[in-house]
Amino acid sequence: MSRYLLTLCIAFQCILISNQATAQQNKFQLSGTLIDSVSGKPGEFVTIALSKDSTVIKSAVSNEQGKFSFSGIVEGNYKVIIGALGYKSKTILLKLSRDTDLNKILVVSSGNELGEVAVAASRPLIKQEPDRIVYDIQADAESKVLSVMDMMRKVPLLSVDADDNVKLKGTGNYRILINGKPSGILTRDPKEYLKSMPAAGVQKIEVITTPPSKYESEGLSGIINIITSRKMDNGYNGNLNARYQSPGGPSGNMNFTIKQGNFGANLYAGTGVWQVDGVKITDARNSRGVAIPSSLNSLGFQQTDNKWAWGGGELSYEIDSLNLITVEINPYGGYNQQNLSQHFDLRDGSVLSSYDLDGKTRYEWGGTDYTFNYQKGFKDKKEHLLTFSYKFFDSSEPQTNDVMFNNRLNFTGVNYRQDNVSSSQEQTAQIDYVNPWKKVTLEAGVKAILRRGDSDFQYLGFNSAQNSYIIDPAQSNVYGNDQNIFGVYNTYTLKLKNWTFKAGARLEGTYVTGNFETTGTSVKTDYFNLIPSVSFNRTLKNSQSLSLGFTQRIQRPGIWNLNPFVDKSRPNFEYFGNPDLEATLSNNFELTYSNFKKGSLNLSLSYNFANNTQQEVSTYFPAENLTRVTSFNIGKTRLLGTNANFNYPLTAKWNLNVSANINYIWLEGMINGVLAQNSGLTGYSSFTTSYKFEKTWKTSVSFNYGAPDVMLQGQSNNYYYLGFSGSKDIIKDKLTVSAMVANPFQKNREYRSFTEGVNFTQERIRENPFRRVSCSLNWKFGKLKGSIKKSERSINNDDTKKSSN
């Protein structure tokens, strides 16, 4: 019934828009494709101006395929003026009386004749599409020296708080992908990886705010997609990047592509180190409204040692022009070890106790992703595709906590160890079908995801009589979780002269079972969801557009949110998952205005609301002087936000970018029968300016400010970031050296997290390294001729909650 209703709605919209198009038959579309006359490559990011009666009435920039278009043009005589640095200017005279495609237009290299160039343009940093914002990392001069984390400070709708947590629209409820696919290295805590991942190996970052139905019903705010795969070409080409950051350590990556006949391969690898020492951590907790007041105060210093490596290869074979096979293998591994020395003072009424803690926590991860795609094309048109995909994901994430107490005063706690051997496997099979007609494109598919997560956790207390660690069965268990998802989607895209309409729906069934093997108990949840997605885009005159979108998103709890393992690495605080968590459904509306006439201007207004949201809750138990932290489906969330981004070339060499995101959030939820409420203003602003000097020098200045994060039981503090960078091409387009200094006027930055409940207040302060210096060397090599064919569709699993918290 829902499918028939959806079909009728789309047909009705087609009739309406068709009537509008009929009323505008006196307006036409002009398009073309620019080709370099020597190399045969597309003419990327060339400025095209449309002139009538000696006045430029429209301008456009060619895309990565060299294509450009103008719409809504009345009948008459025109001049098309084409020009960019490095090419001779070209003028085409034409009389427009119908839709016209100029087909391939050859542009000729000007050599040293730069004086003949009539129109020049910088490669645009930001592109607005109906359902996403795209930030071109390679068009940013700082990409050769900054990390991916630092680049995210510049991307519209993204911010990075004082503890290096990435936020989308001010929240951590999003899904992060690499090349459109989930990656095991980002499963649990992506921030350490992103801080050391060189931006030189990234092509662009997509922020998808209204994901179409072909995507899984992902988390509440949207999708962050990091595109690292480069355009693959005949012959061979490669890139090597080495980087050193202090504090932090070395990191680097490489990418190599080769093509021979119908066979192509793309090989890549990277490694990184993040080592910091002397990070100051303080805790303060005080009871309130209780008969016997109590308090906790601690001061300590942490050392972090984080190392990892990843690699992979993508093999492509064209059986013929209509049949393509691709295989991809991605292994990864690493660890994060934290050594903490901390002194605790606890007061319970008039009784004072204290101790020194030596804690060691080690997280490890490792696994491999395997992906297979078969793509079938059809002779009628190249966009008509049928794709079969299979993905297998296998990972292991053991955790060890080792806690020892010294210099005890009125303290009887025992030394202990915790071992949590966790692993996960995931199999995904899907079929995608795409069939474009003249104005309508159909996308449809079916998908099955079979997930399995296991956790074998043990608590071992030190027995002084036996001088050994003994397992405590009451605090040990074996937990297994099965999450199976079956979905089908259907999306229609209607494109007219000035309108683009996209509508679709996704029907999903989810089956979750959790088993406690030691106790013989289980948790079971089944649910179905019909997820709609609708977006409009209206192209206006003078390179303007207006977009409106609505989508529902579903947030499923991940294995770490469900795992009941009690993490006691921080004494007097316990962190654990909740196997009873359920999925959350949110409703998202967004209105966006874009103007790309010379620079770019993006303005958006968004509103989303959700009930039964997953909220982290801290509960204080005075008798044990203990805070327990877990998540419950108790939240009701409302968020009203606005975003502005302005990118403008002040001159041919000087560029300015300003962004701001302001949100007002309302939160409420019942905690132990008491209504908790919080609200406030959150968001960020950023300013970046860059200048290209003569003789291949480039420099840039960035400033960011972030407002406090608002949580159900508290908030964080505000923060800022200031960075200076410069680069020089030693060998033009081949070898580049870069350097950067961030926050030179302050060594450390405090991240304050304040939490309060009915019977306590607490504050945690972490002083992270703030002043940073880095340098990098980037080398490109190889010769390029033509493209390797890649699958148009592949597997994207983006449905579980991912947060950088």
Side-chain angles (χ1 to χ4, degrees):
M1 184 65 185
S2 298
R3 184 170 181 175
Y4 292 134
L5 180 60
L6 180 62
T7 304
L8 289 174
C9 290
I10 293 173
F12 181 66
Q13 291 292 341
C14 291
I15 294 171
L16 290 178
I17 299 176
S18 177
N19 290 337
Q20 294 177 2
T22 303
Q24 298 177 356
Q25 288 181 352
N26 60 331
K27 293 187 178 182
F28 308 103
Q29 182 167 336
L30 175 66
S31 60
T33 303
L34 304 183
I35 302 295
D36 188 296
S37 63
V38 177
S39 66
K41 293 182 180 180
E44 300 179 319
F45 309 111
V46 175
T47 297
I48 304 95
L50 185 65
S51 172
K52 181 177 177 63
D53 299 328
S54 301
T55 301
V56 175
I57 60 172
K58 286 178 177 288
S59 64
V61 178
S62 61
N63 63 16
E64 294 177 351
Q65 289 77 44
K67 296 181 179 180
F68 69 90
S69 65
F70 299 104
S71 59
I73 309 171
V74 299
E75 183 176 355
N77 297 315
Y78 295 91
K79 288 182 181 180
V80 178
I81 306 169
I82 304 168
L85 291 175
Y87 291 102
K88 290 183 179 180
S89 62
K90 188 168 189 172
T91 301
I92 301 174
L93 303 178
L94 61 91
K95 182 176 181 179
L96 192 69
S97 59
R98 63 180 186 276
D99 289 349
T100 301
D101 187 350
L102 299 176
N103 298 314
K104 293 183 179 180
I105 305 170
L106 296 180
V107 288
V108 181
S109 175
S110 62
N112 294 323
E113 303 172 20
L114 296 180
E116 296 187 15
V117 177
V119 185
S122 299
R123 181 168 168 175
L125 277 174
I126 299 166
K127 181 180 179 182
Q128 174 70 56
E129 298 182 9
D131 56 2
R132 71 194 65 191
I133 290 175
V134 181
Y135 191 92
D136 190 339
I137 298 295
Q138 294 303 308
D140 192 317
E142 288 192 304
S143 65
K144 295 181 176 64
V145 64
L146 295 184
S147 67
V148 174
M149 176 74 77
D150 290 327
M151 294 301 297
M152 283 182 166
R153 302 177 194 275
K154 301 183 177 187
V155 179
L157 301 179
L158 299 186
S159 61
V160 182
D161 69 16
D163 201 32
D164 291 326
N165 296 312
V166 177
K167 303 291 184 180
L168 171 55
K169 292 184 179 179
T171 75
N173 294 322
Y174 57 83
R175 178 60 159 162
I176 186 167
L177 306 174
I178 294 181
N179 297 325
K181 304 165 189 165
S183 174
I185 200 169
L186 298 174
T187 299
R188 188 172 183 187
D189 187 4
K191 67 181 180 182
E192 300 295 341
Y193 170 74
L194 296 174
K195 281 193 293 189
S196 298
M197 182 180 182
V202 175
Q203 183 179 353
K204 58 186 177 181
I205 296 176
E206 297 179 333
V207 182
I208 308 174
T209 54
T210 310
S213 296
K214 70 178 181 180
Y215 287 96
E216 297 303 311
S217 305
E218 171 270 340
L220 305 186
S221 298
I223 297 172
I224 302 172
N225 190 20
I226 302 173
I227 306 295
T228 61
S229 56
R230 300 299 187 91
K231 188 178 179 181
M232 298 196 295
D233 300 280
N234 255 335
Y236 73 95
N237 74 323
N239 182 82
L240 291 174
N241 178 270
R243 179 171 177 266
Y244 188 87
Q245 177 172 284
S246 178
S251 61
N253 58 13
M254 61 80 65
N255 186 48
F256 180 74
T257 300
I258 186 170
K259 181 180 179 183
Q260 184 66 40
N262 292 340
F263 174 79
N266 180 221
L267 307 176
Y268 43 90
T271 185
V273 174
W274 177 261
Q275 295 175 321
V276 294
D277 196 3
V279 176
K280 184 179 178 182
I281 298 176
T282 59
D283 286 297
R285 184 183 63 204
N286 293 282
S287 64
R288 65 180 184 184
V290 296
I292 302 176
S294 61
S295 65
L296 176 148
N297 291 279
S298 70
L299 171 64
F301 295 89
Q302 186 181 72
Q303 178 189 59
T304 299
D305 180 16
N306 189 7
K307 296 183 177 71
W308 69 91
W310 78 96
E314 184 175 10
L315 308 179
S316 174
Y317 181 71
E318 295 181 59
I319 301 173
D320 52 41
S321 61
L322 299 179
N323 295 275
L324 172 68
I325 294 175
T326 59
V327 178
E328 190 170 359
I329 302 176
N330 297 291
Y332 63 90
Y335 71 85
N336 182 307
Q337 182 163 315
Q338 299 175 359
N339 298 329
L340 176 64
S341 297
Q342 196 165 12
H343 177 78
F344 284 81
D345 287 318
L346 299 93
R347 183 174 293 277
D348 189 3
S350 60
V351 179
L352 174 66
S353 61
S354 65
Y355 57 86
D356 292 333
L357 170 133
D358 288 322
K360 295 180 180 180
T361 298
R362 183 182 177 94
Y363 305 94
E364 297 181 10
W365 60 86
T368 306
D369 300 348
Y370 305 89
T371 304
F372 171 83
N373 297 304
Y374 167 69
Q375 179 177 290
K376 169 67 176 176
F378 298 87
K379 292 183 179 180
D380 56 347
K381 41 188 172 298
K382 66 178 183 179
E383 297 88 358
H384 188 186
L385 300 171
L386 179 65
T387 305
F388 300 87
S389 302
Y390 174 78
K391 181 184 179 72
F392 177 72
F393 171 89
D394 185 19
S395 71
S396 175
E397 295 182 340
Q399 174 183 341
T400 302
N401 300 328
D402 193 344
V403 178
M404 299 182 65
F405 303 104
N406 300 298
N407 301 321
R408 305 163 182 249
L409 175 64
N410 297 325
F411 180 75
T412 58
V414 299
N415 298 341
Y416 59 88
R417 293 177 182 171
Q418 288 185 286
D419 293 317
N420 179 28
V421 181
S422 62
S423 62
S424 61
Q425 297 84 35
E426 180 176 284
Q427 297 185 74
T428 305
Q430 72 179 58
I431 301 174
D432 294 289
Y433 177 73
V434 181
N435 192 356
W437 290 283
K438 186 174 182 180
K439 294 182 179 181
V440 178
T441 298
L442 164 68
E443 295 182 68
V446 295
K447 187 172 187 176
I449 306 174
L450 308 178
R451 294 184 176 128
R452 172 69 185 180
D454 293 287
S455 176
D456 184 352
F457 51 92
Q458 297 180 338
Y459 177 94
L460 301 92
F462 184 74
N463 188 307
S464 57
Q466 300 182 31
N467 196 29
S468 62
Y469 286 88
I470 307 299
I471 295 178
D472 182 356
Q475 301 186 67
S476 305
N477 210 329
V478 177
Y479 176 73
N481 178 273
D482 290 297
Q483 186 181 81
N484 298 326
I485 305 162
F486 303 94
V488 57
Y489 75 88
N490 206 339
T491 298
Y492 298 88
T493 302
L494 174 65
K495 289 188 177 181
L496 300 175
K497 292 180 181 178
N498 299 319
W499 284 90
T500 299
F501 170 71
K502 184 179 290 187
R506 188 177 192 93
L507 178 64
E508 292 182 342
T510 305
Y511 306 87
V512 181
T513 302
N515 294 305
F516 297 88
E517 296 183 13
T518 304
T519 58
T521 57
S522 63
V523 178
K524 193 171 184 178
T525 305
D526 300 337
Y527 48 89
F528 288 86
N529 297 98
L530 180 64
I531 309 296
S533 178
V534 181
S535 62
F536 301 84
N537 179 264
R538 175 71 163 93
T539 301
L540 308 173
K541 60 182 180 179
N542 296 325
S543 302
Q544 301 176 89
S545 68
L546 196 65
S547 300
L548 176 64
F550 164 75
T551 183
Q552 286 186 332
R553 310 309 298 162
I554 188 172
Q555 174 190 298
R556 297 186 184 92
I559 181 62
W560 277 102
N561 304 112
L562 297 167
N563 191 346
F565 165 66
V566 180
D567 185 347
K568 298 184 178 183
S569 58
R570 182 181 166 198
N572 304 104
F573 296 87
E574 295 181 351
Y575 300 83
F576 53 96
N578 180 3
D580 295 318
L581 286 176
E582 299 176 351
T584 300
L585 189 69
S586 73
N587 300 273
N588 304 274
F589 302 84
E590 184 155 23
L591 176 65
T592 302
Y593 166 80
S594 301
N595 189 326
F596 293 92
K597 187 172 184 180
K598 183 176 180 181
S600 66
L601 174 66
N602 293 274
L603 301 172
S604 67
L605 180 67
S606 62
Y607 177 72
N608 66 67
F609 63 92
N611 299 321
N612 202 39
T613 57
Q614 181 179 317
Q615 299 291 332
E616 186 176 86
V617 174
S618 296
T619 306
Y620 175 58
F621 296 87
E624 304 171 62
N625 214 341
L626 176 68
T627 298
R628 291 192 174 99
V629 184
T630 191
S631 296
F632 298 96
N633 291 111
I634 60 170
K636 184 178 290 186
T637 304
R638 306 287 183 271
L639 188 144
L640 178 65
T642 181
N643 180 78
N645 179 266
F646 178 63
N647 186 71
Y648 190 79
L650 299 173
T651 69
K653 299 179 180 180
W654 189 10
N655 191 74
L656 173 69
N657 182 272
V658 180
S659 292
N661 177 245
I662 301 174
N663 303 303
Y664 199 90
I665 187 170
W666 296 265
L667 295 166
E668 65 176 62
M670 298 294 293
I671 301 177
N672 296 324
V674 178
L675 179 64
Q677 292 179 308
N678 201 5
S679 62
L681 198 66
T682 184
Y684 72 94
S685 62
S686 68
F687 168 89
T688 302
T689 182
S690 58
Y691 190 84
K692 298 180 181 180
F693 292 92
E694 299 292 341
K695 299 181 180 180
T696 66
W697 281 95
K698 301 173 185 177
T699 187
S700 181
V701 179
S702 299
F703 177 79
N704 302 81
Y705 171 80
D709 290 329
V710 178
M711 297 161 280
L712 180 60
Q713 290 182 287
Q715 67 177 31
S716 66
N717 60 324
N718 58 2
Y719 56 93
Y720 74 90
Y721 171 91
L722 177 65
F724 303 89
S725 70
S727 67
K728 177 175 174 54
D729 290 340
I730 300 176
I731 303 175
K732 184 172 176 57
D733 296 326
K734 294 292 184 182
L735 186 62
T736 303
V737 62
S738 308
M740 182 273 290
V741 58
N743 313 304
F745 309 113
Q746 187 175 345
K747 182 179 179 180
N748 297 308
R749 173 179 57 186
E750 290 186 348
Y751 176 73
R752 294 174 176 264
S753 178
F754 177 77
T755 307
E756 63 178 335
V758 293
N759 63 345
F760 76 100
T761 62
Q762 68 185 39
E763 184 176 42
R764 182 172 175 84
I765 305 173
R766 180 185 176 93
E767 295 189 13
N768 294 317
F770 197 41
R771 183 187 301 140
R772 300 203 303 271
V773 178
S774 67
C775 58
S776 70
L777 192 66
N778 194 76
W779 178 41
K780 297 179 181 179
F781 60 90
K783 188 176 182 180
L784 314 176
K785 294 180 181 178
S787 304
I788 289 179
K789 194 174 179 182
K790 299 180 68 176
S791 293
E792 298 292 333
R793 290 291 186 274
S794 188
I795 287 175
N796 302 285
N797 293 345
D798 43 39
D799 58 295
T800 56
K801 179 181 179 181
K802 289 294 178 293
S803 171
S804 54
N805 287 330

